[in-house]
């Protein structure tokens, strides 16, 4: 039976959901092709684990002191588009651009969720107060690029590329 406990008998859980998709679209214009490749990616990850598991119950009545709860979400969209020749003549070319946008969000909670440590700091805290630290991060990224190549075949054995 899976009860989400590790080999030591302490509680750990980790889940990841990943979704992604891409498609390549081509249009032929007789001598050239226009190619578009949009894509999407999303992942959600969660982990909960005991950082300081104790082999016996502590004086506080729990066997895990510090619990970490971390959630992470990443989402990205991208688009590449390029125009390229069809390799039927001495002049070959490719011109294109790329764009992507990504967002990462991370939330971490580290604390004594299972222990009534607030009771040790009376009168400032009570047994129901959680002693927890929280750290959240939000990161955005964006990429823009252009690319191209031009090749001219001067002879069957010699060509110039820029």
């Amino acid at each position: 039976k899976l009860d989400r406990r590790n080999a030591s008998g302490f509680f750990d859980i980790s889940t990841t959901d990943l979704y992604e998709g891409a498609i390549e679209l081509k249009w032929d214009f007789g001598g050239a092709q226009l190619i578009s490749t949009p894509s999407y990616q999303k992942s959600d990850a969660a982990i909960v684990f005991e950082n300081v598991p104790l082999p016996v119950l502590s004086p506080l009545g729990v066997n895990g002191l510090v619990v970490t709860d971390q959630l992470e979400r990443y989402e990205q969209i991208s688009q590449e588009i390029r125009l390229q020749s069809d390799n039927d003549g001495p002049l070959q070319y490719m011109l294109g651009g790329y764009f992507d946008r990504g967002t990462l969000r991370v939330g971490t909670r580290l604390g004594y969720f299972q222990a009534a440590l607030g009771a040790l700091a009376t009168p400032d805290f009570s047994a129901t107060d959680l002693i927890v630290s929280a750290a959240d991060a939000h990161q955005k990224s964006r990429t823009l690029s252009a690319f191209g190549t031009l090749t001219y075949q001067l002879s069957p054995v010699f060509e110039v590329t820029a």
Side-chain angles (χ1 to χ4, degrees):
K1 176 180 171 186
L2 180 63
D3 66 358
R4 302 195 187 280
R5 291 184 180 269
N6 63 25
S8 303
F10 299 105
F11 181 78
D12 289 330
I13 182 173
S14 175
T15 61
T16 301
D17 296 321
L18 177 63
Y19 309 93
E20 57 184 10
I23 188 168
E24 185 175 81
L25 306 168
K26 294 183 180 182
W27 295 273
D28 194 338
F29 294 106
Q33 283 188 331
L34 182 64
I35 302 168
S36 174
T37 310
S39 69
Y40 174 78
Q41 177 184 357
K42 178 183 174 185
S43 66
D44 290 317
I47 185 169
V48 177
F49 60 93
E50 294 174 336
N51 291 322
V52 186
L54 302 173
V56 296
L57 289 179
S58 72
L60 299 169
V62 296
N63 65 355
L65 281 183
V66 183
V67 176
T68 297
D69 179 3
Q70 183 170 7
L71 303 173
E72 177 180 299
R73 170 171 280 176
Y74 179 70
E75 193 168 14
Q76 179 189 35
I77 61 166
S78 66
Q79 171 68 54
E80 178 182 312
I81 190 161
R82 66 182 183 269
L83 179 66
Q84 65 186 36
S85 59
D86 64 2
N87 299 325
D88 278 349
L91 180 64
Q92 301 300 312
Y93 58 88
M94 192 236 333
L95 178 66
Y98 175 81
F99 163 81
D100 80 33
R101 185 190 73 215
T103 302
L104 174 65
R105 295 177 189 269
V106 179
T108 302
R109 305 296 176 264
L110 173 66
Y112 301 95
F113 294 99
Q114 300 172 348
L117 289 182
L120 299 176
T122 56
D124 297 319
F125 295 102
S126 71
T128 58
D129 290 327
L130 294 177
I131 308 300
V132 178
S133 69
D136 295 321
H138 183 203
Q139 174 181 315
K140 290 185 176 185
S141 64
R142 189 174 85 166
T143 303
L144 294 169
S145 62
F147 52 88
T149 183
L150 181 65
T151 301
Y152 191 79
Q153 188 166 10
L154 298 170
S155 72
V157 295
F158 186 71
E159 64 186 20
V160 177
T161 301

